[in-house]
Structure formats: structure tokens, C-alpha cells
Amino acid sequence: MARRDHDDGADEGELFRAAVGPVRRLPDTPAPPAPPKPAPRARMAERDEANALSEFRQALQGEPLLAGDVLSYRRDPVPLSAWQRLRRGDLAVQDELDLHGATAREAEAMLRDFLHAAHRSGFGCVRIVHGKGRRAAELVDDGGLPVLKNLVDRVLRQRSEVMAFHSAPPAQGGTGAVLVLLAPPKRR
């Protein structure tokens, strides 16, 4: 057998291609899938909610209400005649929320949802029954103050749809309930 000399002028690359024969290019491997994007967050809403919660907690540092105290609040645009009718209990109550037995956290969520739904429904006057805070231990804090009554007072003062509120007359719950005058819903 004759040994082939590498000096015969043939390029090794050409010899290899001749020995292998025709080839086809393999398709490029696809890039690995990108990791999923994180779910969008409502950062502005979270910040607004945190600010509102902070303001709410600061408002709780104010003068607390006692069991027999009257809840009373009126924004400037409310006419005096409407305010007097609300105080007397002359306005027809269109819906009611009873917070008896709820914890402060549950009551706050229920109250916010109730006010939003009542305003969206176009109700003008609603009643919120919070109790007087004299009996149930979970409704009274360590200082003997009614938790739900103070919570309702603070939340109602912060809600833009609340125009005025006043403790109900004795026949409608007295200082254990509050009548709330809501702003008409905005037209779109």
C-alpha cells in the first residue's frame, strides 16, 4: 500500500468535504424562552391606599368618641334645610348596614364597600348601625371606648361621597346608628 504524501497539493479541508459528501445545515436552536414578565401592579393605587391608611391612623389619634356621644359632620355645600332634615331623621333611608359583631378590620372593609355600592346605586340617604359599644368586649378597646363607633366616624369623614352624617334619632337607633347623606353620583 502506497502511502499518500501530504505534498500532493490537495487541501485537507477539500479532502474532508469530498470524503463526507454533501451536507445540509442544521437549523439554529431556538433561544430559550424569556422568563415571564411579572404581573402588573397598581403602584399608584397601593401608594394612595397606604397614604389614606396613614392619614386614617393619624386621625385615630384625635379626640375619641364615647358611647353616648353624637356623631355629627356636615360639608359646606350641604344646605341647612337638608342638614336639619337629616338630623331629625326626616329623610327616607334607602339602605342599611349593620356592623354588629364585626371586627374593626371587617367593619372597615364592609363600610367602604357599602358606601361605594350605595353611592353607585344613587342612594341619597343610608343608615349604618355600629352599636353603642357598651357590651361586647371586642367592640370596646382597653380604654372603654367604642371601637366601631370611632371607626365609622373617621371613615365617613374621609369619604368623598359622604356629604353629611348625624347620629340617628332615638326611634332609629339613637347614638348606636348614624344617618348618612350621600352625594349624587357623577354623570359620565
Side-chain angles (χ1 to χ4, degrees):
M1 198 158 138
R3 191 169 169 207
R4 209 181 257 193
D5 195 5
H6 289 287
D7 290 342
D8 61 0
D11 180 76
E12 286 185 13
E14 288 179 27
L15 290 172
F16 175 76
R17 283 189 282 283
V20 171
V23 295
R24 63 179 165 83
R25 182 173 177 89
L26 293 174
D28 291 335
T29 58
K37 292 183 179 180
R41 286 183 32 223
R43 289 188 305 268
M44 297 298 282
E46 289 172 1
R47 190 185 74 206
D48 290 347
E49 200 59 36
N51 288 342
L53 185 60
S54 173
E55 289 176 18
F56 177 73
R57 298 213 188 284
Q58 288 174 358
L60 286 177
Q61 303 303 321
E63 190 65 32
L65 296 164
L66 302 175
D69 289 348
V70 172
L71 297 180
S72 185
Y73 174 80
R74 174 181 162 229
R75 291 189 195 272
D76 289 333
V78 175
L80 185 59
S81 60
W83 171 243
Q84 290 170 340
R85 290 181 64 210
L86 179 70
R87 290 180 58 194
R88 287 191 307 260
D90 291 344
L91 298 176
V93 173
Q94 295 169 297
D95 202 358
E96 180 176 281
L97 173 65
D98 189 345
L99 297 174
H100 280 108
T103 65
R105 184 177 301 240
E106 294 167 344
E108 183 176 357
M110 290 167 54
L111 182 56
R112 290 180 187 279
D113 291 343
F114 174 75
L115 291 172
H116 180 71
H119 183 252
R120 192 177 61 239
S121 297
F123 294 156
C125 183
V126 296
R127 180 175 29 243
I128 299 164
V129 180
H130 49 74
K132 295 183 181 182
R134 293 187 191 162
R135 295 189 191 115
E138 68 271 6
L139 302 180
V140 179
D141 69 4
D142 294 335
L145 299 172
V147 173
L148 294 182
K149 183 173 190 166
N150 282 284
L151 175 98
V152 167
D153 180 61
R154 300 303 187 260
V155 169
L156 291 178
R157 288 176 188 271
Q158 295 176 356
R159 299 297 295 209
S160 63
E161 64 264 34
V162 175
M163 299 304 294
F165 60 87
H166 195 278
S167 289
Q172 296 183 30
T175 57
V178 63
L179 300 177
V180 181
L181 182 65
L182 297 174
K186 294 179 181 175
R187 296 183 184 186
R188 293 182 186 184

